Amino acid sequence: MKETKNNFGKFGVVLAAAGSAVGLGNIWKFPYMIGENGGAAFLIVYLGCVLLFGIPLMTSEFYVGKSGLKNWRWIHGLTAVSSTLFFAFYLVVTGWCFEYLYLSIINATSGLCPTQLENTFQAFSNSIWMPLLWAVIAIVLTALIELAGVKSGIERANKTLMPLLLVMLLVMIIRGLTLPGSSAGLRFLLEPNFSKITPNLILSAMGQCFFSLSIGVGTLATYAHYMREEQDLPITSARVIGLDTLVAILAGAAIFPAVFALGINPTEGPELVFVTLPSMFGQMRAGYALQIAFFLLLSIAALTSTISLMEVELHFLQKTLKMSRIKGILLSSGVVLGLCLIALLYKPVFGWLDQLVSLYLLPFGGLVFAIYVGWRCPKDHVLRHMTPQGCPPFFGQVLYTLVRYFIPPTILLIFLQGIGAV
Ligand code: PHE
């Protein structure tokens, strides 16, 4: 039996899952990928991936968690391990956001030229103790929210933080778009350049889809365990995916118009956020306040994702190993921090974690969920949950067919291609 008292509310679960999905992937990775990979052309490929992989896989993960089938146990164990590895990587980057929030508040980056900003970032990210300190702070905040439980901790935090995040994004968009010359940024972001569509681009759109939608490490399945009985799975997936995609596009619209208006060359990945943006804010009126708002936004987005990651471990420790919540929190925080320390002491480990999580862990998890739901679970039961309420059974059948026949071979092919076997 499920513990109904502690279950998420109808929109609470959408916000919590969106909180997991909306994170560094949306604000730090997606805007640059769109701009660099042919603007609207990338967006179209990405949306294709979302339809073909995102909706069916998110619905499958929800299904596994919500139906609480017996065999979920071993998948649960697997996701507890993969979410721990993912968490360690993610926590390090969350710590970077916290450091930059702190630097913004004390106004330490204003007046620095791009080279100095670059050096600041390199020196910080290559050091050990400050990043570790921020990782500790981030995990303590995550643990405190977890301690309050699913409804009054996770649901409440997401209900407050997610709208705040949207408001801050809107303020930034308005500021960026009102700068003269900002339309070049919108063009960079949205002008379709179909010649950029290559097999590699499709692969990176797919990787981004898994990363951004939090597919494959069990966060969605774990949250689904606390869903109400009547919660509609495909509709919930569509809402979460809609929010996630909206935030990703808004993040691009918040960043590029201002970057272009100020004549700055946009850079890639971590550099964009930790070097280009401070340099941009430094040249803007009200830049001080906006920079704080931006890094606060990024830290919040990261935090709502770390909460979901810790919940996977906790849920596993509580249900399978019958550990108390507080002991589980202490144990999982300890393990993740230990891994973080290793990654900070031995930099190549951080590089491996980065590669491991983005290239293998999430698609592998997606593959496991697809095979389990498509081939091991009772078809009628799955179909019932995959058909949105009030829609003809055809919708459920399409999702089921994708999960059973399309997704597993496609992911396998991509793995084989990755290791050079085909
Ligand atoms: N979706 C998160 C992001 O976009 C990352 C994440 C993946 C979080 C998997 C939890 C689980 O940043």
Side-chain angles (χ1 to χ4, degrees):
M1 261 325 266
K2 283 190 188 175
E3 55 276 50
T4 40
K5 228 178 46 236
N6 206 16
N7 280 359
F8 281 122
K10 195 164 166 229
F11 288 105
V13 76
V14 174
L15 280 184
S20 172
V22 170
L24 301 169
N26 302 61
I27 300 170
W28 147 45
K29 278 178 117 182
F30 192 82
Y32 191 81
M33 286 183 105
I34 261 205
E36 186 58 355
N37 291 311
F42 179 82
L43 190 60
I44 292 167
V45 176
Y46 179 78
L47 291 179
C49 292
V50 162
L51 286 181
L52 290 176
F53 295 94
I55 299 217
L57 279 175
M58 188 176 281
T59 310
S60 302
E61 247 200 82
F62 279 155
Y63 170 78
V64 172
K66 188 183 177 206
S67 54
L69 299 175
K70 278 200 308 298
N71 295 359
W72 152 232
R73 239 180 165 189
W74 67 266
I75 304 187
H76 208 177
L78 196 76
T79 55
V81 174
S82 58
S83 65
T84 304
L85 292 170
F86 190 91
F87 196 177
F89 159 76
Y90 207 80
L91 195 67
V92 173
V93 187
T94 305
W96 296 354
C97 304
F98 280 35
E99 159 83 0
Y100 271 74
L101 175 59
Y102 168 71
L103 292 180
S104 310
I105 293 171
I106 61 167
N107 209 4
T109 56
S110 81
L112 298 185
C113 70
T115 321
Q116 289 167 316
L117 284 166
E118 168 81 44
N119 293 340
T120 310
F121 176 63
Q122 289 304 341
F124 166 72
S125 58
N126 285 323
S127 62
I128 297 165
W129 303 112
M130 274 315 279
L132 186 68
L133 176 70
W134 288 117
V136 172
I137 293 176
I139 211 163
V140 168
L141 285 177
T142 308
L144 286 176
I145 294 168
E146 285 289 349
L147 198 59
V150 171
K151 194 145 181 79
S152 30
I154 304 178
E155 179 165 338
R156 260 233 318 258
N158 278 295
K159 274 188 167 161
T160 321
L161 297 177
M162 292 299 288
L164 189 66
L165 185 142
L166 278 176
V167 170
M168 279 192 292
L169 261 183
L170 289 179
V171 171
M172 289 195 56
I173 291 175
I174 294 170
R175 180 70 194 113
L177 288 178
T178 48
L179 291 170
S182 58
S183 56
L186 277 187
R187 247 178 284 129
F188 173 72
L189 195 64
L190 292 176
E191 211 158 47
N193 177 357
F194 292 103
S195 68
K196 292 237 174 162
I197 299 184
T198 58
N200 266 341
L201 178 132
I202 298 176
L203 280 189
S204 39
M206 231 188 87
Q208 175 64 13
C209 166
F210 281 79
F211 191 98
S212 188
L213 298 180
S214 299
I215 284 169
V217 285
T219 50
L220 302 168
T222 306
Y223 277 176
H225 179 83
Y226 301 108
M227 273 180 185
R228 290 170 181 205
E229 215 38 59
E230 66 278 11
Q231 192 89 24
D232 187 302
L233 301 185
I235 290 184
T236 307
S237 305
R239 288 191 173 135
V240 173
I241 291 176
L243 268 174
D244 185 76
T245 310
L246 178 75
V247 171
I249 295 172
L250 289 182
I255 292 175
F256 288 111
V259 167
F260 275 80
L262 295 170
I264 298 171
N265 215 0
T267 43
E268 193 173 349
E271 305 274 296
L272 171 66
V273 165
F274 299 108
V275 178
T276 309
L277 290 188
S279 142
M280 172 190 98
F281 288 122
Q283 299 174 38
M284 246 173 162
R285 233 173 347 123
Y288 172 71
L290 282 172
Q291 184 170 333
I292 295 178
F294 177 78
F295 283 107
L296 187 62
L297 174 114
L298 202 60
S299 306
I300 289 175
L303 205 62
T304 51
S305 299
T306 57
I307 296 170
S308 71
L309 287 162
M310 188 182 272
E311 184 59 32
V312 181
E313 301 168 357
L314 264 185
H315 190 250
F316 176 75
L317 294 173
Q318 281 185 286
K319 296 286 156 191
T320 312
L321 304 183
K322 306 282 172 244
M323 212 175 254
S324 69
R325 197 159 173 94
I326 175 97
K327 272 198 192 141
I329 289 177
L330 290 174
L331 179 65
S332 56
S333 306
V335 171
V336 171
L337 278 177
L339 283 171
C340 272
L341 181 62
I342 298 175
L344 289 169
L345 281 173
Y346 306 102
K347 293 295 169 195
V349 175
F350 182 71
W352 296 332
L353 270 182
D354 186 1
Q355 292 274 314
L356 180 76
V357 300
S358 17
L359 295 180
Y360 302 107
L361 223 58
L362 305 186
F364 178 72
L367 179 67
V368 170
F369 277 107
I371 292 180
Y372 180 60
V373 172
W375 294 89
R376 307 289 306 157
C377 294
K379 183 176 174 187
D380 290 347
H381 193 251
V382 177
L383 274 177
R384 216 171 332 120
H385 283 83
M386 284 201 164
T387 308
Q389 279 154 23
C391 288
F394 171 74
F395 284 90
Q397 268 149 6
V398 171
L399 285 187
Y400 185 69
T401 308
L402 287 172
V403 169
R404 191 171 155 95
Y405 296 112
F406 171 74
I407 294 177
T410 315
I411 297 183
L412 267 178
L413 200 72
I414 289 164
F415 275 139
L416 292 178
Q417 209 176 31
I419 57 171
V422 287

